[in-house]
Amino acid sequence: LQLDFGLFDKYASLLNIPFMTELQHEADTRELQVEVANLIYDFDRKHTDDYITRSKVEELIFEVSYKFIVNKNFDSHSNQFKLISMLNANSDYQEYVLLVKIYMSLCSINKSVEVDYYKMKVNGSFHIVIPSNFSKKTSEYLEEITMHHSFSESDGVMMYDDIQVFDLRPHQPEINLYQIRLEPSDEIQSMVKYVEITNVFQALSSKEQYLIFIADNAILIDVLEDGKMNIRINQVDAKVSTI
């Protein structure tokens, strides 16, 4: 009700609900929607054998609201009655129903069903970032790669080792991955004319420095003024004659 009537920002802290006090993005309804959606997802993942799902609870909330308004009782043999009985049988579902209702209110407030976001592991824990530009493929790649390589954050800037890759300080930062093309520097005859690499990080400090992850290796490419490149693999200089 606080969300629906615009009172959440001012009075949310007065609610004596433990999980509500742990929410990190109560000041931003879009970020809050993502956080609540993740809580619902985690709950569903732990209760995979249950009949209860978010969609069924959403339908029940709509149905209950209608029947309350018209003062109409539930059929004791209906699916809604069965669902209510299951919800009442386990106190854990009281929090779940509240999460779903909060999520429905946030969807209405934000005029969206889902908020596009990136989930990245930084400093050992997952961070939610709502970008100004979104790509599903980029989202999947960033979640996967940050789970397997150690990224950090300092003063709002995301880093790998000492390489700054994303500025997270804007409200909706611009998150980009790039595609680069490597070509031979001379007229060597070869079946391979060039190599294209996708999902490449570009350093914030230089447009001529690129970070690539291949398997468990981190490859750093510095493009020099003459067009040649210095390549380091896991911080070790690679000896390359021509690229």
Side-chain angles (χ1 to χ4, degrees):
L1 287 174
Q2 286 187 357
L3 282 167
D4 293 337
F5 288 98
L7 304 173
F8 182 76
D9 291 346
K10 188 174 181 180
Y11 297 107
S13 59
L14 300 178
L15 293 173
N16 187 25
I17 304 174
F19 85 90
M20 292 291 290
T21 62
E22 298 173 0
L23 295 175
Q24 301 175 8
H25 301 99
E26 64 270 12
D28 187 298
T29 55
R30 285 170 58 83
E31 293 180 0
L32 182 62
Q33 181 179 339
V34 172
E35 191 170 1
V36 171
N38 282 331
L39 289 173
I40 294 173
Y41 172 76
D42 289 340
F43 193 98
D44 287 338
R45 188 172 55 180
K46 295 175 183 177
H47 299 77
T48 54
D49 296 332
D50 284 355
Y51 172 80
I52 299 169
T53 63
R54 188 187 78 187
S55 60
K56 290 181 180 178
V57 174
E58 287 179 352
E59 293 174 3
L60 177 64
I61 290 173
F62 278 120
E63 188 74 9
V64 168
S65 300
Y66 165 74
K67 291 185 181 300
F68 174 78
I69 290 173
V70 299
N71 193 24
K72 185 178 180 181
N73 295 324
F74 277 111
D75 180 357
S76 60
H77 300 290
S78 66
N79 291 330
Q80 291 90 350
F81 189 85
K82 177 183 177 182
L83 184 57
I84 290 174
S85 298
M86 295 180 68
L87 291 170
N88 288 334
N90 189 337
S91 59
D92 289 346
Y93 283 113
Q94 294 178 10
E95 179 179 316
Y96 186 75
V97 173
L98 180 58
L99 282 170
V100 174
K101 180 60 183 80
I102 290 172
Y103 184 80
M104 293 169 65
S105 294
L106 288 167
C107 288
S108 177
I109 292 168
N110 296 326
K111 296 179 173 59
S112 67
V113 176
E114 298 289 347
V115 175
D116 294 327
Y117 65 94
Y118 293 141
K119 183 177 180 181
M120 300 183 289
K121 193 172 185 179
V122 182
N123 290 338
S125 60
F126 281 105
H127 288 231
I128 299 299
V129 177
I130 300 177
S132 58
N133 54 327
F134 177 81
S135 163
K136 188 175 185 298
K137 289 184 178 180
T138 298
S139 176
E140 293 171 351
Y141 180 77
L142 287 175
E143 181 172 353
E144 179 70 18
I145 206 68
T146 57
M147 287 177 60
H148 290 89
H149 294 271
S150 298
F151 286 79
S152 62
E153 181 267 333
S154 178
D155 297 326
V157 177
M158 184 171 164
M159 307 174 66
Y160 181 81
D161 288 339
D162 59 346
I163 305 162
Q164 298 180 338
V165 291
F166 297 136
D167 185 353
L168 305 180
R169 290 170 293 184
H171 180 61
Q172 288 185 263
E174 186 172 343
I175 305 292
N176 292 310
L177 294 178
Y178 297 87
Q179 175 176 300
I180 63 173
R181 175 166 164 165
L182 305 180
E183 298 179 347
S185 57
D186 50 29
E187 299 299 325
I188 296 177
Q189 297 296 320
S190 172
M191 293 291 292
V192 179
K193 301 300 182 183
Y194 60 87
V195 176
E196 284 189 346
I197 304 173
T198 58
N199 292 324
V200 177
F201 293 81
Q202 185 182 67
L204 293 177
S205 58
S206 171
K207 292 185 177 180
E208 300 300 334
Q209 187 177 61
Y210 301 94
L211 178 64
I212 305 166
F213 294 97
I214 299 178
D216 293 329
N217 299 305
I219 301 173
L220 185 65
I221 298 178
D222 289 289
V223 181
L224 307 179
E225 292 184 359
D226 59 3
K228 294 184 178 180
M229 289 173 281
N230 285 337
I231 298 178
R232 283 178 283 168
I233 302 175
N234 299 329
Q235 300 290 358
V236 178
D237 288 336
K239 302 296 183 181
V240 182
S241 56
T242 56
I243 295 184

